[in-house]
């Protein structure tokens, strides 16, 4: 089968499953058979994606497409629909299908207590998400990408709020939906600007040249910079960059496998993938790239700081995701597609591993609080081992995958300082983030697995094969993925990658080891060291949710105040003016009707007076 047809199979198989589960109610309500059908669809999709990757690798990542005309204007094709397969898209296709397959298999055990109706609904949403995400990855143009992007947002809303009987889950789903929709306004405006001035929805070098040579400015920026900024604003929402990161930690209200699928590995990475795919446009917008580098680094450091004080294991991983997405964005802002995309690939595997391992812990302990864990190394050895692998990969310890991709990001920032000295600022922030990342993951490791066991741990146990198999696959990928850097750079068609020990890499490794060492000193005895109480006020301030409070203040005071002022103006000025004309018309009508007496003599006198007045007026005018 050709590579483009394999891509179609990977894309459309989940759609067929989702359609069957959503439309045919008896099938959806079967529960476990419906789940098995969804897992089978995910397996077919994964197999097709791997076969496409093998063929693409053999062809050196050469681009092929299978499209059909979609929208026409005056006989000219405005946009196609179909699949576009090259080294960049096929790699992401494998990442998405691998994580989706692992999550669906893991869910067979994790969600086993759901009712048949609930389980069928859950897997219908899972399959719909996989179709949406693969459609986004394989999109041949920005218009199809945008439609898939919005469908991914809908699936995220459905899955976050899956347990909609919980008010917190319903609120979290709405928060995720509205924050990302607010950011999506940027993409809508960018697409309108691009099509208005170029007639194209493309994102390749040709589209970038058309935008670059369009002699138009918006808000003082060249057209290409305005379009790039609009795209990045959308990416800020989807990939949780400050200050639009506020939805992602709350999204942990959904089932833990959903957290692994949407908010660790695939959905949140869509924003980064969009920047990678449209990078020819971003290359012409140097100011936007610098903004990305600084904002990404600030997000990485801020989220890592917040993760240090979280007590919910899923919240720690959620803020860790925000932080690592900041690393990717900063690398892209420094101009390195390879560094940003390589970290996206490795992070997908080890962060999905950490979330699913956390799910295994929650399934065994029935708690998400670190204080209610402890001693899990003896109770859950397999989960402890894979969680350790994920932790070391995230901390950037050799020989795990995160070590290679993290170092490449630091090198990209350092190299960028030769041309843009301001990149020293994000580089320093990212180095500080390296220390904090190792510290907060060491904290989780020592408290949950080596700490004093709580009462809930006495009944902790490993899950079945459905849980252990995905964890084993992801743990293997978390180890070996970093060694594929040179091969991936050839597939991407970007700058060659050759691993080398560099000074900035050694600094990063030293900071990572120092972070783990500090966490051992602070938590290695199974409980927080007494001297940590000194930092309690700082922790309380961080936990206060300053950004959320800022948005709440902005809504209550600024937005609601403005709305109240507009409502007052509408009611007492606009409505009053309209009512004034109405009252005046009634008043004049009431006075004018007295002229209607019904007496013929009065009318004759009125006519005579009118004639006389008209004659006199005519004489004056003449």
């Amino acid at each position: 089968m050709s590579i483009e047809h394999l891509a179609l199979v990977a894309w459309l198989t989940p759609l067929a499953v989702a359609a069957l589960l959503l439309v045919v109610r008896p099938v959806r309500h079967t529960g476990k058979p419906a789940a098995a059908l969804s897992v089978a669809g995910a397996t077919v999709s994964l197999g097709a994606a791997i076969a496409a990757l093998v063929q693409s690798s053999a062809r050196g990542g050469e681009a092929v497409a299978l499209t059909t005309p979609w929208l026409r204007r005056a006989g000219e094709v405005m946009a196609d629909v179909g699949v576009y397969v090259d080294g960049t898209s096929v790699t992401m296709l494998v990442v998405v299908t691998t994580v989706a397959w692992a999550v669906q298999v893991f869910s067979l055990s994790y969600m086993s207590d759901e009712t048949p109706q609930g389980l069928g609904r859950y897997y219908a949403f899972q399959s719909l998400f996989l179709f949406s995400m693969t459609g986004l990855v394989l999109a041949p143009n920005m218009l199809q990408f945008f439609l898939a992007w919005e469908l991914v947002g809908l699936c995220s809303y459905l899955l976050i709020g899956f347990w909609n009987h919980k008010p917190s889950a319903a609120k979290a789903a709405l928060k995720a939906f509205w924050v990302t929709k607010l950011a999506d306004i940027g993409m809508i405006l960018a697409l309108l600007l691009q099509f208005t001035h170029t007639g194209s929805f493309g994102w390749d070098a040709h589209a970038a040249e058309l935008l670059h040579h369009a002699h138009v400015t918006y808000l003082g920026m060249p057209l290409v910079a305005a379009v790039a900024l609009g795209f990045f604003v959308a990416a800020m929402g989807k990939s949780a960059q400050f200050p639009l990161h506020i939805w992602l930690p709350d999204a942990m209200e959904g089932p833990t496998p959903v957290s692994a699928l949407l908010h660790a590995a695939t959905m949140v990475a869509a924003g980064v993938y969009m920047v990678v795919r449209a990078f020819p446009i971003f290359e012409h917008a140097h100011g936007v790239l610098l903004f990305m580098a600084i904002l990404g680094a600030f997000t990485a450091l801020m989220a890592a700081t917040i993760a240090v004080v979280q007590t919910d294991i899923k919240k720690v991983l959620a803020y860790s995701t925000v932080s690592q997405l900041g690393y990717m964005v900063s690398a892209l802002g420094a101009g390195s597609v390879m560094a940003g995309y390589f970290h996206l690939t490795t992070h997908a595997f080890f962060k999905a591993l950490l979330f699913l391992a956390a799910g295994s812990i929650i399934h065994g302990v029935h708690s998400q609080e670190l204080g209610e864990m402890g001693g899990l190394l003896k109770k859950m050895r397999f989960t402890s081992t894979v969680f350790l692998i994920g932790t070391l990969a995230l901390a950037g310890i050799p020989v795990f995958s995160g070590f290679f991709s993290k170092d490449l990001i630091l090198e990209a920032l350092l190299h960028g300082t030769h041309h843009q000295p301001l990149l020293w600022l994000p580089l320093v922030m990212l180095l500080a983030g390296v220390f904090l990342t190792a510290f907060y993951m060491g904290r989780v490791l020592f408290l949950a697995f080596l700490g004093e066991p709580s009462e809930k741990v006495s009944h902790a146990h490993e899950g079945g094969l459905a849980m252990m198999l995905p964890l084993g696959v992801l743990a293997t990928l978390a180890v070996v993925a970093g060694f594929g850097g040179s091969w991936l750079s050839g597939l991407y068609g970007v700058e060659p990658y050759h691993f080398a020990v560099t000074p900035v890499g050694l600094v990063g490794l030293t900071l990572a080891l120092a972070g783990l060492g500090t966490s051992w000193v602070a938590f290695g005895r199974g409980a927080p060291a007494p001297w940590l109480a000194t930092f309690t006020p700082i922790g309380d301030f961080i936990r206060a949710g300053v950004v959320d409070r800022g948005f709440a203040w902005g809504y209550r005071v600024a937005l609601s105040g403005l709305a109240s002022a507009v409502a007052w103006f509408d009611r007492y000025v606009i409505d009053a003016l309209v009512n004034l004309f109405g009252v005046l018309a009634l008043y004049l009508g009431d006075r004018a009707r007295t002229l209607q007496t019904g007496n013929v003599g009065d009318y004759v006198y009125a006519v005579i007076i009118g004639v006389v007045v008209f004659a006199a007026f005519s004489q004056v005018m003449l």
Side-chain angles (χ1 to χ4, degrees), residues 394-425:
L394 176 56
I397 303 300
V399 293
F400 301 92
S401 58
F403 166 74
F404 299 96
S405 56
K406 177 208 67 179
D407 273 18
L408 192 58
I409 291 174
L410 298 178
E411 291 171 22
L413 267 294
L414 181 62
H415 179 73
T417 59
H418 302 320
H419 310 286
Q420 176 53 267
L422 286 176
L423 289 179
W424 277 107
L425 177 61

Side-chain angles (χ1 to χ4, degrees), residues 137-222:
V137 169
L138 297 169
N141 54 62
M142 206 65 182
L143 186 59
Q144 179 179 323
F145 180 92
F146 175 68
L147 295 179
W149 175 280
E150 291 301 310
L151 192 53
V152 165
L154 172 63
C155 294
S156 175
Y157 164 79
L158 294 172
L159 285 166
I160 294 170
F162 174 74
W163 287 325
N164 50 33
H165 59 277
K166 296 168 54 180
S168 57
K171 290 179 180 179
L174 283 173
K175 186 176 183 179
F177 186 81
W178 286 119
V179 171
T180 53
K181 293 315 109 183
L182 174 66
D184 289 350
I185 294 173
M187 185 182 290
I188 294 172
L189 294 176
L191 287 174
L192 291 174
L193 287 177
Q194 180 180 357
F195 186 76
T196 299
H197 294 287
T198 68
S200 168
F201 289 110
W203 48 15
D204 55 8
H206 176 65
E209 287 296 324
L210 290 176
L211 289 168
H212 180 58
H213 291 104
H215 301 293
V216 183
T217 59
Y218 283 92
L219 301 177
M221 294 182 292

Side-chain angles (χ1 to χ4, degrees), residues 205-281:
H206 176 65
E209 287 296 324
L210 290 176
L211 289 168
H212 180 58
H213 291 104
H215 301 293
V216 183
T217 59
Y218 283 92
L219 301 177
M221 294 182 292
L223 177 64
V224 65
V227 171
L229 181 61
F231 288 156
F232 179 62
V233 168
M236 285 173 60
K238 197 76 83 180
S239 292
Q241 297 300 286
F242 176 87
L244 300 179
H245 67 283
I246 57 173
W247 66 270
L248 195 148
D250 289 353
M252 297 303 109
E253 289 291 339
T256 301
V258 168
S259 302
L261 178 69
L262 303 183
H263 311 109
T266 53
M267 181 264 199
V268 293
V272 176
Y273 177 77
M274 184 261 287
V275 175
V276 170
R277 178 54 84 194
F279 202 74
I281 295 175

Side-chain angles (χ1 to χ4, degrees), residues 200-497:
S200 168
F201 289 110
W203 48 15
D204 55 8
H206 176 65
E209 287 296 324
L210 290 176
L211 289 168
H212 180 58
H213 291 104
H215 301 293
V216 183
T217 59
Y218 283 92
L219 301 177
M221 294 182 292
L223 177 64
V224 65
V227 171
L229 181 61
F231 288 156
F232 179 62
V233 168
M236 285 173 60
K238 197 76 83 180
S239 292
Q241 297 300 286
F242 176 87
L244 300 179
H245 67 283
I246 57 173
W247 66 270
L248 195 148
D250 289 353
M252 297 303 109
E253 289 291 339
T256 301
V258 168
S259 302
L261 178 69
L262 303 183
H263 311 109
T266 53
M267 181 264 199
V268 293
V272 176
Y273 177 77
M274 184 261 287
V275 175
V276 170
R277 178 54 84 194
F279 202 74
I281 295 175
F282 283 84
E283 282 182 313
H284 293 284
H286 301 293
V288 177
L289 288 178
L290 179 60
F291 172 66
M292 289 168 53
I294 296 174
L295 181 68
F298 176 78
T299 302
L301 180 58
M302 175 209 66
T305 304
I306 298 174
V308 168
V309 299
Q310 296 300 311
T311 59
D312 183 326
I313 189 172
K314 287 177 66 176
K315 287 289 183 70
V316 175
L317 297 178
Y319 280 109
S320 173
T321 297
V322 176
S323 181
Q324 296 305 304
L325 289 167
Y327 275 84
M328 301 174 207
V329 169
S330 192
L332 293 171
S336 178
V337 175
M338 178 60 194
Y341 200 25
F342 189 25
H343 197 57
L344 183 156
T345 304
T346 59
H347 173 264
F349 296 134
F350 63 71
K351 185 53 67 65
L353 170 64
L354 286 169
F355 261 107
L356 293 185
S360 178
I361 295 170
I362 295 168
H363 185 265
V365 180
H366 302 292
S367 175
Q368 298 178 192
E369 290 295 319
L370 291 171
E372 296 180 350
M373 298 178 187
L376 290 174
L377 180 61
K378 296 179 180 179
K379 291 285 186 176
M380 305 176 70
R381 291 190 179 277
F382 180 79
T383 299
S384 302
T385 302
V386 297
F387 196 94
L388 175 63
I389 291 173
T391 296
L392 296 177
L394 176 56
I397 303 300
V399 293
F400 301 92
S401 58
F403 166 74
F404 299 96
S405 56
K406 177 208 67 179
D407 273 18
L408 192 58
I409 291 174
L410 298 178
E411 291 171 22
L413 267 294
L414 181 62
H415 179 73
T417 59
H418 302 320
H419 310 286
Q420 176 53 267
L422 286 176
L423 289 179
W424 277 107
L425 177 61
L427 176 58
V428 171
M429 288 192 286
L430 292 182
L431 285 170
V434 170
F435 172 85
L436 290 175
T437 300
F439 178 79
Y440 66 67
M441 287 309 300
R443 171 176 172 262
V444 173
L445 202 63
F446 296 132
L447 290 179
F449 297 98
L450 300 178
E452 189 67 26
S454 70
E455 294 182 2
K456 292 190 174 184
V457 174
S458 59
H459 300 291
H461 60 279
E462 293 284 5
L465 179 62
M467 283 189 176
M468 298 174 72
L469 176 61
L471 290 174
V473 171
L474 291 172
T476 303
L477 291 171
V479 175
V480 305
F483 295 99
S486 298
W487 173 63
L488 289 173
S489 68
L491 268 180
Y492 301 158
V494 295
E495 66 271 20
Y497 168 75

Side-chain angles (χ1 to χ4, degrees), residues 3-14 45 48-49 52-53 64-67 80-94 96-97 130-142 144-146 148-149 203 273 277 341:
I3 187 172
E4 56 268 36
H5 287 98
L6 286 170
L8 273 178
V9 170
W11 179 29
L12 297 180
T13 300
S45 188
L53 177 64
V64 294
L66 181 61
T67 61
D80 294 329
V81 63
V83 295
Y84 180 87
V85 190
D86 62 358
T88 302
S89 62
V90 76
T91 306
M92 187 66 175
L93 182 65
V94 171
V96 169
T97 52
L130 183 54
F131 161 72
S132 307
M133 195 67 201
T134 51
L136 179 151
V137 169
L138 297 169
N141 54 62
M142 206 65 182
Q144 179 179 323
F145 180 92
F146 175 68
W149 175 280
W203 48 15
Y273 177 77
R277 178 54 84 194
Y341 200 25

